[in-house]
Amino acid sequence: MAAADEEDMMSYTAGFAVMEVTVRGVLPIGDTTENAPYFILDTAKSAIVGQVILPKAVKRSLAVALTVKVPSTAGSLGIGTFDDGGNFQAASFLRVETPAVERPDGAVGSSGR
């Protein structure tokens, strides 16, 4: 890739605000056969905003925690696969954690005096 192409790509991607979310869970125990793509879905917009690839099953308990960048405009997020009919199937063993919103310390609001 030429230097100009790299600069164009960097300026293109810099225009998109992203946030980091964490995919956490414990993979199912079973015969390890193959990997599967798990899609992160903005449920409000029914739009795929990210993806991770994980084993369908593992021989012994394995917790995962993966950081994934998604658009900062994403709303409520779910993670799962799509069935043969194209329907989203939420993965019961995985969850998407969004960054905690920073809140001021201490009480907020009127003091009631």
Side-chain angles (χ1 to χ4, degrees), residues 17-23 36-43 45-54 66-82 88 94-96:
V18 297
M19 68 176 164
E20 290 185 343
V21 297
T22 304
V23 173
Y38 292 90
F39 298 96
I40 300 171
L41 187 73
D42 180 338
T43 57
K45 298 174 186 167
S46 294
I48 296 170
V49 295
Q51 174 185 346
V52 296
I53 297 177
L54 296 168
L66 303 165
T67 302
V68 180
K69 291 182 180 181
V70 299
S72 62
T73 57
S76 178
L77 299 171
I79 187 165
T81 58
F82 288 90
F88 182 73
L94 294 172
R95 67 185 180 280
V96 180

Side-chain angles (χ1 to χ4, degrees), residues 2-112:
D5 291 341
E6 289 178 17
E7 288 175 13
D8 290 343
M9 182 61 88
M10 288 175 63
S11 65
Y12 178 75
T13 57
F16 295 102
V18 297
M19 68 176 164
E20 290 185 343
V21 297
T22 304
V23 173
R24 289 189 194 274
V26 178
L27 298 179
I29 296 174
D31 292 330
T32 52
T33 55
E34 59 190 53
N35 291 333
Y38 292 90
F39 298 96
I40 300 171
L41 187 73
D42 180 338
T43 57
K45 298 174 186 167
S46 294
I48 296 170
V49 295
Q51 174 185 346
V52 296
I53 297 177
L54 296 168
K56 284 187 174 181
V58 291
K59 297 249 183 233
R60 57 185 170 184
S61 184
L62 178 64
V64 295
L66 303 165
T67 302
V68 180
K69 291 182 180 181
V70 299
S72 62
T73 57
S76 178
L77 299 171
I79 187 165
T81 58
F82 288 90
D83 65 18
D84 292 337
N87 300 307
F88 182 73
Q89 303 294 316
S92 61
F93 57 92
L94 294 172
R95 67 185 180 280
V96 180
E97 298 175 353
T98 56
V101 176
E102 291 187 27
R103 301 181 195 279
D105 290 336
V108 176
S110 62
S111 64

